[in-house]
mmCIF file of all heavy atoms in Angstrom:
data_model
loop_
_atom_site.group_PDB
_atom_site.id
_atom_site.type_symbol
_atom_site.label_atom_id
_atom_site.label_comp_id
_atom_site.label_asym_id
_atom_site.label_seq_id
_atom_site.Cartn_x
_atom_site.Cartn_y
_atom_site.Cartn_z
ATOM 1 N N VAL A 22 -15.087 13.330 20.337
ATOM 2 C CA VAL A 22 -14.786 12.281 21.212
ATOM 3 C C VAL A 22 -15.184 12.661 22.625
ATOM 4 O O VAL A 22 -14.847 13.747 23.118
ATOM 5 C CB VAL A 22 -13.278 11.924 21.149
ATOM 6 C CG1 VAL A 22 -12.914 10.786 22.229
ATOM 7 C CG2 VAL A 22 -12.910 11.449 19.808
ATOM 8 N N PRO A 23 -15.855 11.707 23.444
ATOM 9 C CA PRO A 23 -16.241 12.112 24.826
ATOM 10 C C PRO A 23 -14.971 12.345 25.695
ATOM 11 O O PRO A 23 -13.890 11.765 25.409
ATOM 12 C CB PRO A 23 -17.089 10.863 25.228
ATOM 13 C CG PRO A 23 -16.641 9.782 24.394
ATOM 14 C CD PRO A 23 -16.275 10.403 23.030
ATOM 15 N N LEU A 24 -15.180 13.075 26.749
ATOM 16 C CA LEU A 24 -14.079 13.404 27.651
ATOM 17 C C LEU A 24 -13.747 12.258 28.632
ATOM 18 O O LEU A 24 -13.471 12.557 29.785
ATOM 19 C CB LEU A 24 -14.384 14.733 28.398
ATOM 20 C CG LEU A 24 -14.567 15.897 27.518
ATOM 21 C CD1 LEU A 24 -14.922 17.147 28.328
ATOM 22 C CD2 LEU A 24 -13.350 16.225 26.656
ATOM 23 N N GLU A 25 -13.778 11.064 28.206
ATOM 24 C CA GLU A 25 -13.402 9.919 29.077
ATOM 25 C C GLU A 25 -13.209 8.727 28.167
ATOM 26 O O GLU A 25 -13.584 8.705 26.959
ATOM 27 C CB GLU A 25 -14.536 9.634 30.008
ATOM 28 C CG GLU A 25 -15.839 9.341 29.478
ATOM 29 C CD GLU A 25 -16.906 9.074 30.465
ATOM 30 O OE1 GLU A 25 -16.591 9.307 31.706
ATOM 31 O OE2 GLU A 25 -18.014 8.737 30.170
ATOM 32 N N GLY A 26 -12.566 7.708 28.683
ATOM 33 C CA GLY A 26 -12.309 6.465 27.927
ATOM 34 C C GLY A 26 -11.036 6.572 27.135
ATOM 35 O O GLY A 26 -10.344 7.623 27.072
ATOM 36 N N PRO A 27 -10.618 5.482 26.474
ATOM 37 C CA PRO A 27 -9.356 5.408 25.735
ATOM 38 C C PRO A 27 -9.318 6.383 24.552
ATOM 39 O O PRO A 27 -8.246 6.891 24.209
ATOM 40 C CB PRO A 27 -9.305 3.915 25.249
ATOM 41 C CG PRO A 27 -10.695 3.437 25.295
ATOM 42 C CD PRO A 27 -11.390 4.170 26.416
ATOM 43 N N LEU A 28 -10.498 6.637 23.909
ATOM 44 C CA LEU A 28 -10.501 7.516 22.702
ATOM 45 C C LEU A 28 -10.078 9.038 23.141
ATOM 46 O O LEU A 28 -9.495 9.681 22.362
ATOM 47 C CB LEU A 28 -11.866 7.527 22.098
ATOM 48 C CG LEU A 28 -12.183 6.294 21.341
ATOM 49 C CD1 LEU A 28 -13.602 6.477 20.648
ATOM 50 C CD2 LEU A 28 -11.169 5.995 20.200
ATOM 51 N N PHE A 29 -10.413 9.341 24.377
ATOM 52 C CA PHE A 29 -10.055 10.664 24.851
ATOM 53 C C PHE A 29 -8.532 10.786 24.930
ATOM 54 O O PHE A 29 -7.943 11.833 24.485
ATOM 55 C CB PHE A 29 -10.672 10.949 26.218
ATOM 56 C CG PHE A 29 -10.132 12.174 26.905
ATOM 57 C CD1 PHE A 29 -10.551 13.412 26.474
ATOM 58 C CD2 PHE A 29 -9.202 12.098 27.900
ATOM 59 C CE1 PHE A 29 -10.054 14.606 27.027
ATOM 60 C CE2 PHE A 29 -8.723 13.263 28.499
ATOM 61 C CZ PHE A 29 -9.159 14.477 28.054
ATOM 62 N N TYR A 30 -7.832 9.784 25.353
ATOM 63 C CA TYR A 30 -6.377 9.851 25.457
ATOM 64 C C TYR A 30 -5.673 9.778 24.043
ATOM 65 O O TYR A 30 -4.733 10.431 23.784
ATOM 66 C CB TYR A 30 -5.875 8.674 26.295
ATOM 67 C CG TYR A 30 -6.353 8.802 27.756
ATOM 68 C CD1 TYR A 30 -7.401 8.045 28.193
ATOM 69 C CD2 TYR A 30 -5.740 9.721 28.621
ATOM 70 C CE1 TYR A 30 -7.870 8.145 29.536
ATOM 71 C CE2 TYR A 30 -6.283 9.841 29.984
ATOM 72 C CZ TYR A 30 -7.268 9.064 30.343
ATOM 73 O OH TYR A 30 -7.744 9.155 31.654
ATOM 74 N N ILE A 31 -6.397 9.026 23.213
ATOM 75 C CA ILE A 31 -5.895 8.977 21.823
ATOM 76 C C ILE A 31 -6.005 10.400 21.161
ATOM 77 O O ILE A 31 -5.125 10.863 20.472
ATOM 78 C CB ILE A 31 -6.677 7.944 20.995
ATOM 79 C CG1 ILE A 31 -6.382 6.564 21.469
ATOM 80 C CG2 ILE A 31 -6.296 8.090 19.460
ATOM 81 C CD1 ILE A 31 -7.214 5.494 20.793
ATOM 82 N N LYS A 32 -7.155 11.085 21.423
ATOM 83 C CA LYS A 32 -7.357 12.359 20.900
ATOM 84 C C LYS A 32 -6.329 13.375 21.435
ATOM 85 O O LYS A 32 -5.789 14.161 20.718
ATOM 86 C CB LYS A 32 -8.743 12.936 21.228
ATOM 87 C CG LYS A 32 -9.000 14.373 20.852
ATOM 88 C CD LYS A 32 -10.124 14.994 21.638
ATOM 89 C CE LYS A 32 -10.140 16.481 21.349
ATOM 90 N NZ LYS A 32 -11.129 17.190 22.193
ATOM 91 N N ALA A 33 -6.041 13.264 22.791
ATOM 92 C CA ALA A 33 -5.111 14.166 23.354
ATOM 93 C C ALA A 33 -3.701 13.908 22.792
ATOM 94 O O ALA A 33 -2.975 14.906 22.500
ATOM 95 C CB ALA A 33 -5.065 13.918 24.860
ATOM 96 N N GLU A 34 -3.329 12.651 22.544
ATOM 97 C CA GLU A 34 -2.030 12.333 21.957
ATOM 98 C C GLU A 34 -1.944 12.876 20.495
ATOM 99 O O GLU A 34 -0.945 13.399 20.065
ATOM 100 C CB GLU A 34 -1.829 10.824 21.994
ATOM 101 C CG GLU A 34 -0.369 10.476 21.759
ATOM 102 C CD GLU A 34 0.576 10.829 22.868
ATOM 103 O OE1 GLU A 34 0.071 11.160 23.985
ATOM 104 O OE2 GLU A 34 1.787 10.783 22.722
ATOM 105 N N PHE A 35 -3.018 12.688 19.758
ATOM 106 C CA PHE A 35 -3.081 13.145 18.365
ATOM 107 C C PHE A 35 -2.925 14.682 18.314
ATOM 108 O O PHE A 35 -2.200 15.197 17.517
ATOM 109 C CB PHE A 35 -4.346 12.708 17.705
ATOM 110 C CG PHE A 35 -4.571 13.388 16.400
ATOM 111 C CD1 PHE A 35 -3.906 12.981 15.257
ATOM 112 C CD2 PHE A 35 -5.505 14.499 16.299
ATOM 113 C CE1 PHE A 35 -4.151 13.599 13.992
ATOM 114 C CE2 PHE A 35 -5.681 15.148 15.098
ATOM 115 C CZ PHE A 35 -5.004 14.699 13.961
ATOM 116 N N GLN A 36 -3.647 15.354 19.238
ATOM 117 C CA GLN A 36 -3.651 16.806 19.236
ATOM 118 C C GLN A 36 -2.248 17.335 19.504
ATOM 119 O O GLN A 36 -1.782 18.294 19.004
ATOM 120 C CB GLN A 36 -4.621 17.354 20.263
ATOM 121 C CG GLN A 36 -4.847 18.845 20.228
ATOM 122 C CD GLN A 36 -5.432 19.324 18.894
ATOM 123 O OE1 GLN A 36 -6.395 18.687 18.438
ATOM 124 N NE2 GLN A 36 -4.814 20.311 18.263
ATOM 125 N N LYS A 37 -1.537 16.634 20.421
ATOM 126 C CA LYS A 37 -0.187 17.062 20.753
ATOM 127 C C LYS A 37 0.719 17.014 19.531
ATOM 128 O O LYS A 37 1.459 17.985 19.210
ATOM 129 C CB LYS A 37 0.327 16.124 21.887
ATOM 130 C CG LYS A 37 1.817 16.507 22.232
ATOM 131 C CD LYS A 37 2.322 15.612 23.375
ATOM 132 C CE LYS A 37 2.662 14.240 22.855
ATOM 133 N NZ LYS A 37 3.387 13.405 23.818
#
Side-chain angles (χ1 to χ4, degrees):
V22 176
L24 298 177
E25 59 183 5
L28 290 180
F29 171 74
Y30 296 102
I31 294 175
K32 175 201 170 185
E34 195 70 12
F35 168 79
Q36 189 63 48
K37 180 179 74 173

